Amino acid sequence: MPTIYEQVRRFYSRQMQLIDSGRVEDWVETFVDDAVIANNANPAPARGREVITKVVHRIVADAHERGLVHRHWLDMLTVDPIDEDSLETTFYALVVETAKGGTPGLFRSTRGRDVLVRRGSGWQVRERYVTHDGS
Amino acid sequence: MPTIYEQVRRFYSRQMQLIDSGRVEDWVETFVDDAVIANNANPAPARGREVITKVVHRIVADAHERGLVHRHWLDMLTVDPIDEDSLETTFYALVVETAKGGTPGLFRSTRGRDVLVRRGSGWQVRERYVTHDGS
Amino acid sequence: MPTIYEQVRRFYSRQMQLIDSGRVEDWVETFVDDAVIANNANPAPARGREVITKVVHRIVADAHERGLVHRHWLDMLTVDPIDEDSLETTFYALVVETAKGGTPGLFRSTRGRDVLVRRGSGWQVRERYVTHDGS
């Protein structure tokens, strides 16, 4: 039985790979129905899977049209229990961007804080707050 | 007893450090004798330790002559069992490059898929397929 | 009970977040009183918490004055026991730097070697040697 820390690492690995491969419908299922995503660069948080899906579809489509590959890296992870079925994480996330025929660069550096809740044998994000460095 | 996931992380940490420190002979022992390495930027896969060693010696020597230090970072790791003695991994890998007196940059961003097989108490790579972003 | 490897990963996640958020007094407590930090770019090692604190306060203040956010990433971690209460680690560390309104870049790429010692239920750094790539 993996520790909760390992479960959470694996959860994030999968979540990052889903978004970067454009599988938005699978990716959004890593969030609860009424999840909230907010960041310091945008005053209005995205509430609920429907809104989140719309926003992220646009971001993914935009990168695709411009021939850009994005890779989300997440680490420097801390995991602290809130109660039996929920926990708080903090982490850094980087987005590496590569244009067709180009060399990779850093598109964004952030730190984040999530609340995760149990769902079956796994986890889902209930709240995410991301701070974009430089904003 | 570490989980298989942890074993695999530690395996990759060691493998990346071996290649970056130029220990090609030790590095190639992290592959089975008839291992295959392929990537999307090169139609001909490298088959077997002898060929792989030759290719990688050239890459390492070339970087060394140009005064470049390479650091391979691998993460966003997923590990799925194939059977009792083999497993499939997916991951991202970055190569950070630093020239003498220079500042570091990203040389390459990739995602990869490996098949690992048990060897004694550890693991070896049987197949590796790497997709270079931007190619 | 997490493995020692997992304990060490979590230790470093916390240590990196402390330094990047400017909490120098909390960060320095992740070192033993008479810890030594040395690197290849500087002939004189920093000995003891008092000296280390002074040096790091200056680095943190300097970045802050110039409006720079630093994020330390540490991985490709290996952990080997020395004895029951101490262990040696090797790792890579990157510093990502973002200026106000700017895009992130790599400020520094390094590899490191630490000696960690047990302290209560956790760990502290006794010795750190960092090699800056390109120096």
Side-chain angles (χ1 to χ4, degrees), chain B:
Chain B
M1 182 63 182
T3 61
I4 286 178
Y5 190 76
E6 181 179 309
Q7 292 173 36
V8 171
R9 289 193 78 84
R10 299 176 77 159
F11 169 79
Y12 282 125
S13 289
R14 188 167 169 273
Q15 191 182 51
M16 299 302 118
Q17 290 206 18
L18 286 173
I19 188 74
D20 294 333
S21 55
R23 294 171 57 190
V24 178
E25 275 69 25
D26 294 322
W27 172 83
V28 85
E29 286 184 17
T30 64
F31 293 82
V32 300
D33 275 347
D34 57 347
V36 179
I37 305 184
N39 70 63
N40 67 325
N42 192 331
R47 283 178 193 281
R49 277 191 189 167
E50 205 180 326
V51 173
I52 292 170
T53 302
K54 229 179 269 179
V55 171
V56 169
H57 259 309
R58 201 165 49 221
I59 294 172
V60 166
D62 179 59
H64 188 258
E65 275 165 33
R66 296 159 63 207
L68 301 173
V69 175
H70 283 165
R71 302 277 174 223
H72 284 75
W73 288 66
L74 183 152
D75 202 356
M76 299 303 99
L77 176 67
T78 71
V79 175
D80 291 291
I82 297 171
D83 57 35
E84 192 62 23
D85 292 318
S86 62
L87 51 84
E88 182 176 282
T89 69
T90 67
F91 52 82
Y92 293 168
L94 275 180
V95 186
V96 175
E97 181 175 280
T98 312
K100 208 145 224 155
T103 50
L106 297 179
F107 173 60
R108 187 162 284 157
S109 171
T110 69
R111 72 188 154 85
R113 189 197 59 82
D114 275 359
V115 175
L116 302 192
V117 293
R118 267 188 215 279
R119 182 242 203 161
S121 62
W123 297 91
Q124 285 180 316
V125 178
R126 185 160 69 193
E127 292 173 34
R128 170 165 294 175
Y129 188 83
V130 177
T131 303
H132 295 187
D133 295 344
S135 286

Side-chain angles (χ1 to χ4, degrees), chain A:
Chain A
M1 184 63 182
T3 60
I4 285 179
Y5 190 76
E6 181 178 309
Q7 292 173 36
V8 171
R9 289 193 78 85
R10 299 176 77 159
F11 168 80
Y12 282 125
S13 289
R14 189 167 168 271
Q15 191 182 51
M16 300 301 119
Q17 290 206 18
L18 285 174
I19 188 74
D20 293 334
S21 56
R23 294 171 58 189
V24 178
E25 275 69 24
D26 294 323
W27 172 82
V28 85
E29 287 185 15
T30 64
F31 294 82
V32 300
D33 275 348
D34 56 347
V36 178
I37 305 184
N39 70 63
N40 67 325
N42 192 332
R47 284 179 193 280
R49 278 191 188 168
E50 205 181 326
V51 173
I52 292 171
T53 301
K54 229 179 269 178
V55 171
V56 169
H57 258 309
R58 201 165 49 220
I59 295 173
V60 166
D62 178 60
H64 188 257
E65 275 165 33
R66 296 160 62 207
L68 302 174
V69 175
H70 283 164
R71 303 275 175 224
H72 285 74
W73 289 66
L74 183 153
D75 202 355
M76 298 305 98
L77 176 66
T78 70
V79 175
D80 291 292
I82 297 171
D83 57 35
E84 193 61 25
D85 291 319
S86 62
L87 51 83
E88 183 177 280
T89 68
T90 67
F91 52 83
Y92 293 169
L94 274 180
V95 186
V96 175
E97 180 176 280
T98 312
K100 208 145 224 155
T103 50
L106 297 179
F107 172 61
R108 187 162 286 157
S109 171
T110 68
R111 71 187 156 84
R113 188 197 60 83
D114 275 0
V115 175
L116 302 193
V117 293
R118 268 189 212 279
R119 183 244 202 159
S121 61
W123 296 90
Q124 284 180 317
V125 178
R126 186 160 67 193
E127 292 173 35
R128 169 165 295 175
Y129 188 83
V130 177
T131 303
H132 294 187
D133 295 344
S135 286

Side-chain angles (χ1 to χ4, degrees), chain C:
Chain C
M1 183 64 182
T3 61
I4 285 178
Y5 190 77
E6 182 180 309
Q7 292 173 35
V8 172
R9 288 194 79 83
R10 300 176 76 159
F11 169 79
Y12 282 126
S13 289
R14 188 168 169 272
Q15 192 183 50
M16 300 302 118
Q17 290 206 18
L18 286 173
I19 187 73
D20 294 334
S21 56
R23 294 171 57 189
V24 178
E25 275 70 25
D26 294 322
W27 173 83
V28 84
E29 286 184 15
T30 64
F31 293 81
V32 300
D33 275 347
D34 56 347
V36 178
I37 305 185
N39 70 63
N40 67 325
N42 193 331
R47 286 178 192 280
R49 278 192 188 167
E50 204 181 326
V51 173
I52 293 171
T53 302
K54 230 179 266 178
V55 171
V56 169
H57 257 309
R58 202 166 48 220
I59 295 172
V60 166
D62 178 60
H64 188 258
E65 275 165 33
R66 296 159 63 208
L68 302 173
V69 175
H70 283 164
R71 302 278 174 223
H72 284 75
W73 289 66
L74 182 152
D75 202 357
M76 299 303 98
L77 176 67
T78 70
V79 175
D80 291 291
I82 297 171
D83 56 35
E84 192 62 25
D85 291 319
S86 63
L87 51 84
E88 182 176 281
T89 68
T90 67
F91 52 82
Y92 293 169
L94 274 180
V95 186
V96 175
E97 181 175 280
T98 311
K100 208 144 225 157
T103 50
L106 297 179
F107 173 60
R108 186 162 286 157
S109 171
T110 69
R111 71 186 155 85
R113 189 196 60 80
D114 275 0
V115 175
L116 302 192
V117 292
R118 267 189 213 280
R119 183 246 202 156
S121 62
W123 297 91
Q124 284 179 317
V125 178
R126 185 160 68 195
E127 291 173 35
R128 170 164 294 175
Y129 188 83
V130 177
T131 303
H132 295 187
D133 296 342
S135 286

